[in-house]
Amino acid sequence: MRRIDGRAIAATITAEVTAAVATASVPPTLAVLVPTRDEATAWYVRSIERAARKVGIACRVVQLEEPSRQDVVDRLADLSADPSVHGVICQTPLPDGVALDDVGAFIDPRKDVDGANPESLGRVAAGLSGFAPATAVAVLEVLRHEGVPLAGTRAVVVGRSTVVGKPAALLLLAADATVTVCHSRTADLPAVTREADVLVVAVGRAGFVGAEHVKPGAVVVDVGTNPAADGSLVGDVRPDVAGVAGALTPVPGGVGPVTTAVLLKHTAQAARGL
Amino acid sequence: MRRIDGRAIAATITAEVTAAVATASVPPTLAVLVPTRDEATAWYVRSIERAARKVGIACRVVQLEEPSRQDVVDRLADLSADPSVHGVICQTPLPDGVALDDVGAFIDPRKDVDGANPESLGRVAAGLSGFAPATAVAVLEVLRHEGVPLAGTRAVVVGRSTVVGKPAALLLLAADATVTVCHSRTADLPAVTREADVLVVAVGRAGFVGAEHVKPGAVVVDVGTNPAADGSLVGDVRPDVAGVAGALTPVPGGVGPVTTAVLLKHTAQAARGL
């Protein structure tokens, strides 16, 4: 069983981003809107700031205090209109009653580096230029960097969220995989997931997928990041999967660092007008 | 084997639309942009006009002569901005070098009754209000009217086009089916399609799917409309499927008439601001 090194993949991507940014006339700027005070969010935003600084991307963190929906919308629209800002992301959690796919529609698709605008998702689905959510792109980057063949293989995605499951399925489809999407209503889930050559698990429940769900030799990508009782992070995949899978992304150190690298890559692309 | 009567389903839908339109303060208006002279398109537009008239929807056909991309964009934007127009569709084929998902972005999503704007597809994917392409919705209407259970069943879509395969897959997923999308690169297609309780075929190749692709008792929805040598229309599904399937939509008289009915239903909804 190969343990996939997400940090190494992230390092490869960020090296490419650093090289691209070094030739830019102005440093790309990523604006991070933080609409709530939340410890995990603050920790993640600091990690984005550190990673951005390393590759030469400026990070502008905008902290809001108990904003209304209109406050969030106005700030996202302002940042989208600001020519000195190249990428705009909106952190979750949002205040009660505010939904990301509602306010996300106010991020200019050309600056929507975490694919929060439904228009971005539609453009990705239609095969047009546009940014898919960074986590979904990170799944594909992991598979590409590992040299996992996708064309004609069976890929199964467990989870149908707008931020991971659905865009990951669309990207796998664009990569010519035969794609199945499973969810809470799927009958006999282990039988369906055992069809997978590539199994992507994005459910958000610790240890949801075990060895009985995995075809021997399959590549398993664990997108889950669930807080454990001891404060550590655990994935959606149980340790016994390591005895069956051909390759597996760990948590932490798998999809997570690649997601941050993709966010920076998208920001550099947005700054170049891609 | 049950032969599904698309015309009867269309009649049920148009009866509902007629009742809804009868209570409207102004008759809903559907604008149909026709960017090329094409005999099949002209025939189809006349059939939309007839069907619209029957339910009390006004149809405004705008025929263009050898338009540029900008001409098409301008007319779609004008029709979108016109308060007396409630639904806007753009017929294909388009002039050489003009793509529907490019010009479709200029149809206001609130009037995009055939889901040609990538933003509409994204909104449907995100579970927000928005119109999916009428053909994809027609597939779901057929299944709903036939009382086919979808939650927890295996649905397989053959074909991954932006106008049918992908939106149909997203709608089946929203209906809680476990959805697999197959395409030209799928390995061992008959083995994958035989997993389907519901098989949707939208490939655009006459007789592409035969009895060997179908699980006994499956419901098969044939979206294909391929011109035969004698001028008639034939589907993507071969006649021998009737010996295996539990139910099958014919061509013609299956998904086709339901698609027109859905277009009118969407126009009535758009006029009511849904």
Side-chain angles (χ1 to χ4, degrees):
Chain A
M1 208 283 303
R2 193 165 77 250
R3 192 182 154 89
I4 296 173
D5 186 348
R7 293 194 182 94
I9 297 169
T12 305
I13 296 169
T14 52
E16 291 164 5
V17 175
T18 306
V21 167
T23 65
S25 50
V26 290
T29 296
L30 172 65
V32 182
L33 190 69
V34 187
T36 44
R37 294 267 175 205
D38 175 87
E39 201 172 324
T41 304
W43 182 90
Y44 180 58
V45 169
R46 281 192 298 274
S47 81
I48 294 175
E49 284 185 284
R50 269 195 308 274
R53 193 178 313 124
K54 276 190 198 163
V55 302
I57 289 178
C59 212
R60 189 187 303 176
V61 177
V62 180
Q63 174 76 52
L64 301 182
E65 302 295 337
E66 298 183 20
S68 66
R69 173 187 174 279
Q70 193 61 47
D71 294 333
V72 175
V73 162
D74 288 346
R75 290 311 280 265
L76 292 174
D78 287 350
L79 292 167
S80 288
D82 185 337
S84 72
V85 169
H86 306 98
V88 178
I89 64 176
C90 180
Q91 285 304 306
T92 53
L94 286 152
D96 286 347
V98 182
L100 183 60
D101 48 18
D102 168 32
V103 298
F106 294 86
I107 301 175
D108 185 324
R110 291 166 298 185
K111 300 186 179 184
D112 184 23
V113 292
D114 201 16
N117 189 332
E119 187 179 342
S120 297
L121 184 57
R123 295 187 62 84
V124 169
L128 303 171
S129 65
F131 295 111
T135 306
V137 176
V139 170
L140 274 285
E141 288 281 358
V142 164
L143 296 170
R144 188 170 68 84
H145 281 266
E146 290 293 305
V148 177
L150 291 173
T153 66
R154 303 268 329 235
V156 175
V157 178
V158 187
R160 54 175 162 173
S161 71
T162 305
V163 289
V164 190
K166 276 186 277 199
L170 289 165
L171 294 171
L172 287 164
L173 189 59
D176 291 332
T178 299
V179 182
T180 301
V181 182
C182 299
H183 45 78
S184 56
R185 300 296 300 273
T186 293
D188 197 359
L189 181 68
V192 181
T193 55
R194 278 199 306 268
E195 295 171 352
D197 302 306
V198 172
L199 180 61
V200 177
V201 187
V203 177
R205 283 173 60 183
F208 185 78
V209 158
E212 74 277 18
H213 292 85
V214 179
K215 177 162 82 175
V219 177
V220 179
V221 180
D222 185 355
V223 183
T225 50
N226 309 288
D230 65 358
S232 67
L233 284 183
V234 296
D236 291 350
V237 171
R238 285 199 298 273
D240 64 357
V241 166
V244 185
L248 173 64
T249 61
V251 177
V255 174
V258 182
T259 298
T260 303
V262 166
L263 211 49
L264 301 176
K265 181 178 179 176
H266 283 179
T267 303
Q269 290 175 326
R272 292 203 304 281
L274 302 182
Chain B
M1 206 281 306
R2 194 165 76 249
R3 193 183 154 88
I4 296 173
D5 186 347
R7 293 195 182 94
I9 297 169
T12 304
I13 296 170
T14 51
E16 291 163 6
V17 175
T18 305
V21 166
T23 65
S25 50
V26 290
T29 296
L30 172 65
V32 183
L33 190 70
V34 187
T36 44
R37 293 270 174 202
D38 176 87
E39 201 173 324
T41 303
W43 182 89
Y44 179 57
V45 169
R46 281 193 299 272
S47 81
I48 293 175
E49 285 186 280
R50 268 196 308 273
R53 193 178 313 125
K54 275 190 199 165
V55 302
I57 289 178
C59 211
R60 188 187 304 176
V61 177
V62 180
Q63 174 77 53
L64 301 182
E65 302 295 339
E66 299 182 19
S68 66
R69 173 186 174 278
Q70 194 60 50
D71 293 335
V72 175
V73 161
D74 289 346
R75 290 311 280 265
L76 291 174
D78 287 350
L79 292 166
S80 289
D82 184 338
S84 72
V85 169
H86 306 97
V88 178
I89 64 176
C90 180
Q91 285 303 304
T92 53
L94 287 152
D96 286 348
V98 181
L100 183 60
D101 48 20
D102 168 32
V103 298
F106 294 86
I107 301 175
D108 185 323
R110 290 166 297 185
K111 300 186 179 185
D112 184 23
V113 292
D114 200 16
N117 188 333
E119 186 178 341
S120 298
L121 184 57
R123 295 186 61 84
V124 169
L128 303 171
S129 66
F131 295 111
T135 307
V137 176
V139 170
L140 274 285
E141 288 281 359
V142 164
L143 296 170
R144 188 169 69 83
H145 280 266
E146 290 292 306
V148 177
L150 291 174
T153 66
R154 303 272 323 240
V156 175
V157 178
V158 187
R160 53 175 163 173
S161 71
T162 304
V163 289
V164 190
K166 277 186 276 200
L170 289 165
L171 294 171
L172 288 163
L173 190 59
D176 291 331
T178 299
V179 181
T180 301
V181 182
C182 298
H183 44 79
S184 55
R185 301 296 300 273
T186 292
D188 198 356
L189 181 68
V192 181
T193 54
R194 278 198 306 268
E195 295 171 351
D197 303 306
V198 171
L199 180 61
V200 177
V201 187
V203 178
R205 283 172 60 182
F208 185 77
V209 158
E212 74 278 16
H213 292 85
V214 179
K215 177 161 83 176
V219 177
V220 179
V221 180
D222 185 354
V223 183
T225 51
N226 310 287
D230 64 358
S232 67
L233 285 183
V234 297
D236 291 350
V237 171
R238 285 199 297 274
D240 63 357
V241 167
V244 184
L248 172 64
T249 60
V251 177
V255 173
V258 182
T259 298
T260 303
V262 166
L263 211 51
L264 300 176
K265 181 179 179 176
H266 283 179
T267 303
Q269 290 175 326
R272 292 202 305 278
L274 302 183

